Amino acid sequence: MGSDYYRVRAEVYFLTPEEGGRSCPVPPLDRGQEPYFVLADLGLGYTEEGFPIRSMVRVEPEGGPAYIELGVEQTVQIMLNRIEGVVIEPGVSFDLAEGAKVVARATVVSVLE
């Protein structure tokens, strides 16, 4: 029986404030610490009000403690819920958002589980 989520390795580019992204850096990511949760736009459609339907995901460091730098592409692990009709495979791209604000763009490099 499979799990209820995908764990993927992804290249993620966090937008700078000038590009419309976060106004401050992402807090340090460290296993055992509070995880960083964001919303992923996986192409699930839109609400009646025209907002994208997004899914909560968890971003984790690719090894030891990590800092997410703005304006730099980095490799991280992302845990996504399995959603019927959504295929997650290498090459799939999606936006990451905090609330309504897109803060990063991600591309799946490999599916780990």
Side-chain angles (χ1 to χ4, degrees):
M1 176 185 258
S3 64
D4 293 336
Y5 62 88
Y6 292 100
R7 180 184 295 274
V8 302
R9 179 174 292 121
E11 291 292 326
V12 178
Y13 177 83
F14 277 83
L15 303 171
T16 64
E18 297 78 22
E19 296 168 314
R22 293 177 58 95
S23 59
C24 58
V26 176
L29 302 177
D30 188 6
R31 293 191 190 279
Q33 299 289 330
E34 186 68 28
Y36 176 54
F37 288 99
V38 290
L39 299 170
D41 185 347
L42 300 170
L44 301 175
Y46 295 87
T47 65
E48 290 179 9
E49 296 81 17
F51 296 105
I53 297 171
R54 294 177 169 151
S55 175
M56 185 73 72
V57 299
R58 185 169 76 191
V59 177
E60 299 179 341
E62 177 68 8
Y67 292 89
I68 298 292
E69 296 181 55
L70 305 181
V72 178
E73 189 170 79
Q74 297 157 87
T75 303
V76 298
Q77 289 186 23
I78 299 177
M79 290 183 61
L80 306 117
N81 290 327
R82 289 186 187 266
I83 299 169
E84 187 174 331
V86 176
V87 177
I88 301 295
E89 60 189 8
V92 169
S93 294
F94 50 91
D95 291 338
L96 298 176
E98 293 177 357
K101 183 178 197 170
V102 173
V103 296
R105 313 247 187 256
T107 301
V108 176
V109 174
S110 60
V111 177
L112 303 173
E113 59 179 85

